[in-house]
C-alpha cells in the first residue's frame, strides 16, 4: 500500500474554523463534523478530480437514484493521534477493499485505492487539529458513495458521488446493553446484501429494533432468516460469546458483515492462546449455557465502540442475565485493540498505518 501521492486534489479551504466552538468533552457520537469534506464525482465512465470543500449541504436532483432505489454504501473507520502528533489509521486497507466489495454488490463502480488513500490522507492533514490526543479520543471517518444520476428508471446509475466526512469521537459507552435474539424479523438472507455495508441494511433494521427498544432491549441479535435458530450478528456489530474460557463467533458469510474488529479479535485470541471457535452458534446452545452458568460473556465488536459488553438476552419471551465475570475478555480485547490503535502497545501485526504528511 505504498503510494506516491500523485493524485491532483482541488482544495478550497473554509474561511473560518468552528473548532473553538466544539466541546470535545461532550460529544455525542456522529453529530459534529469537521470544517471540510471530500467529494469525488463519477461521470462519463470515470472518477473525476477529487475536491476538498468547506463542510456543508450538497445539492441533488429529487429524482437522483439514491433516493428511490437505495444505491448507497459506506465505511466506518477511525484516525488517532500519538504523543508525537503523528496520525494513524487502523487497518485502513481492509475498509478500502470492503468499500469496493460493497460497491460491486450494489452495481456501483469501484473507487480506486490510490484516490481513496491520497484523498483521505490529504483531508486528514487539513483536519489534523480535530484529532485529539486524550485517552479514548479519535476522529471517526465516514466514506460513502451515493447514486446521483437523475431519473427514476430502475437501473444502476451512471453518475455517483464518493464523499468522506469526519466526526470527532470520544470513547464510546453505549450504556447497559441487553439484546433480543430475533425470532421473526430478519436482517439478511442468503444471496442478499448482508455482507455489504449498504444503507438499506440499516433501514430494514430500524423497525424491528424499535420494537425491541420498546420492549426494553437496546439491540437485536439477528438469527438466520430460514430457521431463526442460529445467531449471526448484531447489525452494527459482530457478536462474540464466551462459554467457559472459549470464545465463539459465527463464521462470516454473504449474510454477515466481515468486520475488521471481529477479525482483529480472532487474530489476538490466536496470538494469546485463548481458545476460540468460528462456527455456527445455535440459540439453544446459548440458552443452555446461560442456564447452566457456563455462558460467561457476550459482546459486540465494531469500529465505533470497539467492544461492547452485552449483559443479557431474551429469546421467545425468556430472559437471561449474564454473570459478572472477572478477567473479562471484552475488557481485555477492548484495551488491547485500543492501545495498538493509539500506538501505546506494540503493533506486531502491522495493523497501524501512518498517515503521510
Ligand atoms: C460495520 C459493521 C460491523 C462492524 O465492522 P467493523 O469493521 O469492525 O467496524 C458489523 N456489522 C455490520 C452490519 C456493520 O455494518
Amino acid at each position: 500500500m505504498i503510494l506516491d501521492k500523485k493524485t491532483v486534489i482541488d482544495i478550497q479551504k473554509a474561511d473560518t474554523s468552528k473548532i473553538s466552538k466544539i466541546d470535545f468533552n461532550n460529544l455525542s457520537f456522529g453529530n459534529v463534523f469537521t470544517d471540510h469534506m471530500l467529494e469525488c464525482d463519477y461521470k462519463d465512465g470515470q472518477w473525476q478530480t477529487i475536491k476538498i470543500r468547506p463542510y456543508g449541504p450538497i445539492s441533488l436532483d429529487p429524482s437522483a437514484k439514491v433516493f428511490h432505489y437505495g444505491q448507497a454504501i459506506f465505511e466506518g473507520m477511525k484516525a488517532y493521534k500519538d504523543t508525537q502528533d503523528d496520525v494513524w489509521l487502523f487497518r485502513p486497507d481492509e475498509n478500502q477493499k470492503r468499500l469496493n466489495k460493497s460497491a460491486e454488490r450494489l452495481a456501483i463502480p469501484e473507487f480506486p485505492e490510490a484516490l481513496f488513500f491520497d484523498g483521505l490522507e490529504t483531508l486528514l492533514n487539513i483536519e489534523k487539529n480535530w484529532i485529539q490526543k486524550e485517552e479514548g479520543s479519535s476522529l471517526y471517518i465516514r466514506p460513502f458513495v451515493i447514486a446521483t444520476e437523475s431519473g427514476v428508471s430502475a437501473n444502476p446509475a451512471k453518475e455517483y458521488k464518493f464523499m468522506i466526512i469526519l466526526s470527532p469521537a470520544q470513547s464510546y459507552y453505549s450504556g447497559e446493553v441487553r439484546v433480543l435474539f430475533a425470532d421473526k424479523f430478519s436482517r439478511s438472507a442468503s444471496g442478499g446484501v448482508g455482507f455489504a455495508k449498504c444503507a438499506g441494511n440499516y433501514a430494514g433494521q430500524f423497525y424491528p429494533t424499535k420494537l425491541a427498544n420498546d420492549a426494553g432491549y437496546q439491540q437485536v441479535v439477528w438469527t438466520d432468516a430460514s430457521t431463526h435458530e442460529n445467531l449471526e450478528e448484531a447489525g452494527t456489530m459482530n457478536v462474540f460469546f464466551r462459554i467457559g474460557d472459549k470464545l465463539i463467533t459465527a463464521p462470516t458469510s454473504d449474510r454477515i458483515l466481515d468486520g475488521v474488529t471481529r477479525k482483529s479479535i480472532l487474530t489476538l485470541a490466536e496470538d494469546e492462546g485463548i481458545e476460540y471457535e468460528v462456527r455456527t452458534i445455535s440459540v439453544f446452545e446459548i440458552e443452555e449455557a446461560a442456564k447452566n452458568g457456563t455462558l460467561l460473556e457476550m459482546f459486540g465488536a465494531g469500529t465505533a465502540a470497539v467492544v461492547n459488553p452485552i449483559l443479557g438476552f431474551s429469546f421467545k419471551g425468556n430472559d437471561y442475565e449474564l454473570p459478572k465475570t472477572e478477567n473479562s475478555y471484552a475488557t481485555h480485547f477492548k484495551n488491547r485493540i485500543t492501545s495498538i490503535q493509539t500506538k501505546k502497545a506494540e503493533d506486531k501485526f502491522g495493523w497501524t498505518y501512518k498517515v503521510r504528511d
Side-chain angles (χ1 to χ4, degrees):
M1 207 174 51
I2 299 182
L3 304 165
D4 46 5
K5 244 182 149 189
K6 284 191 295 222
T7 308
V8 174
I9 299 178
D10 168 3
I11 301 173
Q12 241 176 52
K13 292 263 183 85
D15 296 332
T16 54
S17 172
K18 51 190 181 233
I19 196 165
S20 61
K21 299 194 194 88
I22 308 299
D23 180 0
F24 281 90
N25 297 316
N26 282 301
L27 296 166
S28 64
F29 182 75
N31 284 325
V32 167
F33 294 90
T34 65
D35 295 319
H36 299 88
M37 61 187 189
L38 181 147
E39 310 180 52
C40 184
D41 290 325
Y42 181 90
K43 61 177 186 206
D44 303 329
Q46 54 187 333
W47 292 101
Q48 309 290 311
T49 304
I50 294 181
K51 296 177 196 159
I52 292 178
R53 293 286 180 265
Y55 187 91
I58 56 171
S59 169
L60 289 181
D61 193 282
S63 72
K65 288 190 201 293
V66 63
F67 299 136
H68 305 272
Y69 305 120
Q71 257 188 309
I73 54 171
F74 65 95
E75 269 304 322
M77 41 206 299
K78 280 177 172 175
Y80 307 85
K81 202 180 256 176
D82 67 13
T83 48
Q84 276 99 57
D85 280 352
D86 285 325
V87 177
W88 297 84
L89 297 169
F90 184 72
R91 310 188 75 177
D93 48 323
E94 296 284 343
N95 299 91
Q96 187 271 325
K97 288 194 200 104
R98 191 170 66 191
L99 181 76
N100 284 338
K101 268 212 239 168
S102 303
E104 181 184 26
R105 182 63 182 82
L106 278 281
I108 293 172
E110 292 191 1
F111 194 72
E113 183 187 22
L115 296 191
F116 184 92
F117 280 97
D118 291 355
L120 173 59
E121 292 175 67
T122 305
L123 183 65
L124 287 172
N125 276 301
I126 293 173
E127 304 293 51
K128 217 171 164 172
N129 289 344
W130 288 83
I131 313 172
Q132 306 279 302
K133 271 188 285 199
E134 279 70 53
E135 186 81 34
S137 294
S138 63
L139 187 63
Y140 182 77
I141 303 168
R142 170 54 64 91
F144 62 101
V145 186
I146 52 172
T148 51
E149 191 195 0
S150 58
V152 294
S153 63
N155 42 43
K158 292 187 196 68
E159 293 173 9
Y160 297 86
K161 191 185 277 293
F162 169 88
M163 298 192 75
I164 303 177
I165 54 177
L166 305 172
S167 175
Q170 288 172 311
S171 97
Y172 181 89
Y173 175 68
S174 49
E176 300 206 329
V177 175
R178 287 180 177 78
V179 298
L180 195 68
F181 289 171
D183 63 2
K184 174 174 171 222
F185 294 101
S186 303
R187 170 185 175 271
S188 66
S190 297
V193 296
F195 70 95
K197 239 175 153 66
C198 66
N201 280 339
Y202 283 72
Q205 294 186 79
F206 289 163
Y207 174 67
T209 304
K210 184 189 171 305
L211 295 181
N213 293 161
D214 292 346
Y217 307 96
Q218 286 70 39
Q219 299 214 16
V220 175
V221 173
W222 300 101
T223 48
D224 69 291
S226 43
T227 68
H228 293 296
E229 288 180 1
N230 298 311
L231 293 157
E232 299 210 313
E233 65 158 317
T236 61
M237 289 190 290
N238 297 109
V239 179
F240 284 83
F241 302 85
R242 173 182 177 181
I243 298 182
D245 281 335
K246 193 186 291 169
L247 195 60
I248 312 170
T249 194
T252 53
S253 69
D254 60 359
R255 300 184 306 271
I256 298 184
L257 190 117
D258 185 6
V260 179
T261 318
R262 170 187 178 280
K263 210 180 288 205
S264 305
I265 288 173
L266 291 175
T267 302
L268 292 175
E270 171 79 38
D271 179 54
E272 295 169 14
I274 291 176
E275 204 188 336
Y276 68 91
E277 286 175 359
V278 177
R279 58 160 171 86
T280 304
I281 307 157
S282 117
V283 176
F284 309 117
E285 175 187 3
I286 297 302
E287 281 193 297
E288 191 48 45
K291 282 182 199 152
N292 69 27
T294 54
L295 180 68
L296 300 184
E297 289 186 77
M298 283 172 59
F299 57 88
T303 296
V306 187
V307 169
N308 209 340
I310 298 169
L311 305 184
F313 69 92
S314 177
F315 184 62
K316 295 196 169 158
N318 297 313
D319 283 296
Y320 302 87
E321 199 69 14
L322 269 60
K324 291 239 178 319
T325 300
E326 309 250 308
N327 305 317
S328 136
Y329 284 173
T331 311
H332 168 71
F333 286 119
K334 178 159 186 160
N335 292 341
R336 181 135 189 234
I337 291 179
T338 331
S339 44
I340 295 172
Q341 289 170 329
T342 53
K343 303 303 287 179
K344 291 188 188 88
E346 187 203 354
D347 172 22
K348 67 194 253 193
F349 305 103
W351 284 340
T352 55
Y353 172 81
K354 188 172 162 183
V355 170
R356 297 161 297 167
D357 283 330

